[in-house]
Amino acid sequence: MTELWRPTDAGVLELPSGRVVRGRGLRHPLPPGPVPDFAVYLLGKRPPEVSWESRWLRWPDFRLPADPAEAREVLADVWARAEAERVEVACGGGIGRTGTALACLAVLDGVPADRAVEFVRGTYHPRAVETPWQKRYVRRFAS
């Protein structure tokens, strides 16, 4: 069985259900410790190859996912897998797109959509979810 990350590990967000997901910026070094079992990379162009299972979700910097239906499917998969696997969500800086995705995961986990950005800012990064349209995306994610 996979040893999951601890909520005290760098960049790890603990959802109310107890699931943990690591957010990070790809411009920063890989944190010490075990690598992800599965990762989703939120980038405008294809990410570099990694040695673990990963998926690319086309999501340009400061914008929204290019395909909202695919984003919903991918994030639902991340949420489900986080129960038993080390799952990572990452973009270039680890704040805007990653924060938005983490807030959507919080919504899937039962956090009210109008409180999800506040939840992620309080538990992951104080500037997570950078733009007004990213905030609106999270609020509408529940519908």
Side-chain angles (χ1 to χ4, degrees):
M1 182 170 160
T2 296
E3 181 182 332
L4 300 178
W5 286 309
R6 295 178 308 275
T8 55
D9 291 341
V12 173
L13 171 72
E14 182 175 19
L15 296 166
S17 66
R19 288 173 166 87
V20 292
V21 178
R22 182 171 74 187
R24 79 176 177 103
L26 295 173
R27 291 191 296 264
H28 307 292
L30 188 65
V35 298
D37 296 313
F38 177 66
V40 173
Y41 298 117
L42 316 167
L43 299 167
K45 62 181 182 175
R46 187 168 297 282
E49 293 292 321
V50 291
S51 61
W52 49 85
E53 183 183 357
S54 66
R55 185 157 178 192
W56 171 43
L57 182 61
R58 197 160 67 82
W59 191 330
D61 201 7
F62 296 105
R63 305 265 175 112
L64 297 175
D67 184 339
E70 179 187 18
R72 180 171 286 280
E73 172 193 314
V74 168
L75 293 173
D77 186 37
V78 167
W79 181 82
R81 293 176 77 155
E83 186 171 26
E85 297 178 59
R86 285 187 307 269
V87 181
E88 172 177 88
V89 175
C91 64
I95 298 171
R97 293 167 285 180
T98 296
T100 302
L102 292 174
C104 291
L105 293 173
V107 171
L108 291 174
D109 204 63
V111 174
D114 62 344
R115 301 208 48 228
V117 171
E118 177 186 342
F119 173 79
V120 171
R121 285 181 173 174
T123 55
Y124 170 69
H125 193 286
R127 292 182 326 189
V129 191
E130 294 177 305
T131 68
W133 43 92
Q134 290 172 340
K135 290 176 196 170
R136 188 169 46 248
Y137 180 78
V138 172
R139 283 194 312 271
R140 294 179 177 169
F141 192 77
S143 53

